[in-house]
Amino acid sequence: MMNLKGLSINPKIWGPILSLVAIIVIMGIIDPGFVRIEFKDGRFYGSLIDVLVRATPTAIIALGMAVVIGTRGIDLSVGSVVAICGAVAAMLITETDLSFASVMVLSLAAGGVIGMLNGIMVSYIGIQPIIATLILMVSGRGIAQLITGGRSVSFDSVAMDIIGSGMFLAIPVRIWIAAGLLLLTILVMRKTAIGLFIESVGANARASRYVGIEARLFKMFAYVFSGICAALAGVILIADVGIAEINRLGLWLELDAILAVVLAGGSLNGGRIYLGLTIIGALIIQTLTTIIFSSGVPVEYNLIVKASIILAVLLVQSPTTQAAIKDLNMKRKGVRT
C-alpha cells in the first residue's frame, strides 16, 4: 500500500477498477461507438448499457460465490442450479395458477434447498467442496430435464417481461434487482457479525470453533445464499427470452462467477470477501465478452480468454509469485541504499 498526499491507495482494491476503466478506454479509442450512450423513448441505449444488463446474472451469482469462497469453499453447481430453478419457474408459470410472488418464492426456495444440500455434504458429512458441488454440476441439468420433460418451456407473463426487459427510472429493472441484492448483502456481511464469522471460518475454521463460532452453520449459510443467488439469476435469464432452454441455461456461469471473485482479489484459500469488487469483476468479464462478440471472433475464443485470465490471476496470487515479487523489491531497495 502506498500513500499519495495523505490518500491511501491499495493496489488490491484499485487494480480491478483500473483494469475495467483501462479496457473501456482502450476499446473507446479503437471504436468510439462502444462508449456512446443515447437516451431514446425513456431508456438508455449503448454498448456500455448492454454490458450492465448482460452482466446482471453473472454479478448476482458471483455475490453468492464470493461468500462461499470466503469460507474456503467453492460452488461448481451454480450453473445447474440456474437451470433447475429456471425450469421450476417456467413450469410453475405454465402449469399452475400460482401468483407471480408464489412462483418467485418457490423458485428461490428451490435454490436455497439445493444450496442447503451442498452445505450439508460439505459441512456435516465432510465431503470436499469441489467434489460435493461437482455432483450437482454433473447431474443438475438432468434434473432440470426431468422437471420440463426434456423440452424447452416457453411462457407468457407480464411480470416476467418486466424483470427481463422492464425499465424503472430509465434503468433496467434487472439492474435494480442486482443493486438491491448487493446492498442487502453488504448490510448483512458488513453491518452484522455474520460477515466476520464467515471470514473467520474461511481463515481458520479450527480457531473459529475454539472461540465458539459454529463453523458448520456458517458454511451452510454460505451455500444456501449461493443457491438463492443462482436461482434469482435463473429467473432473470428465462425472463429475458421468455423460454427455459435447459441445455443452454446457465451454461459455464460457474466459470464466470469464480473468475469474477478471483478478479476482485478474492483468494480461493478463503478468509476475505470483496463484494463491490466482485461486481467489478463481473463487469470486466462481460465487457470482454461483449468486445469479443462485437468483433466477430468465434465464441470459442471467449472461453479461451476467460481461462487465460483465470490462469494469469492465479499465477499472480500464488505464494511463489508473491514471494518472488517481495524478494525482487527487497533487492531493489538494497541496491538503492
Side-chain angles (χ1 to χ4, degrees), residues 35-83:
V35 295
R36 186 178 298 119
I37 298 177
E38 298 179 354
F39 185 78
K40 294 181 181 179
D41 303 324
R43 63 185 302 169
F44 292 99
Y45 292 89
S47 296
L48 294 180
I49 302 300
D50 290 339
V51 168
L52 289 174
V53 171
R54 298 304 169 192
T56 302
T58 301
I60 290 174
I61 296 173
L63 283 177
M65 186 69 72
V67 176
V68 169
I69 290 179
T71 67
R72 206 170 185 173
I74 198 164
D75 191 352
L76 298 180
S77 68
V78 290
S80 294
V81 175
V82 167

Side-chain angles (χ1 to χ4, degrees), residues 19 46 64 265 293 306 320 323:
S19 297
F293 284 162
K306 292 176 182 177
T320 302

Side-chain angles (χ1 to χ4, degrees), residues 157-276:
S157 169
V158 175
M160 293 293 275
D161 289 341
I162 293 175
I163 290 178
S165 57
M167 307 291 292
F168 178 69
L169 299 179
I171 298 175
V173 171
R174 61 202 294 178
I175 294 179
W176 285 109
I177 294 174
L181 179 63
L182 173 62
L183 178 61
L184 178 62
T185 307
I186 290 175
L187 290 176
V188 172
M189 300 300 294
R190 298 292 178 242
K191 299 302 181 180
T192 71
I194 293 177
L196 177 63
F197 290 162
I198 288 178
E199 290 183 337
S200 67
V201 167
N204 193 323
R206 179 176 296 180
S208 298
R209 287 197 297 270
Y210 289 157
V211 297
I213 299 174
E214 180 53 57
R216 295 180 297 181
L217 180 62
F218 287 101
K219 285 185 179 181
M220 172 80 76
F221 171 84
Y223 283 97
V224 170
F225 179 66
S226 179
I228 293 174
C229 288
L232 179 58
V235 172
I236 291 175
L237 285 170
I238 67 168
D240 188 30
V241 294
I243 187 172
E245 295 182 280
I246 303 306
N247 290 330
R248 299 175 55 188
L249 187 61
L251 193 62
W252 304 119
L253 278 181
E254 58 275 355
L255 172 65
D256 288 348
I258 295 171
L259 177 55
V261 176
V262 172
L263 288 175
S267 172
L268 298 181
N269 291 323
R272 288 294 295 165
I273 301 173
Y274 302 96
L275 297 173

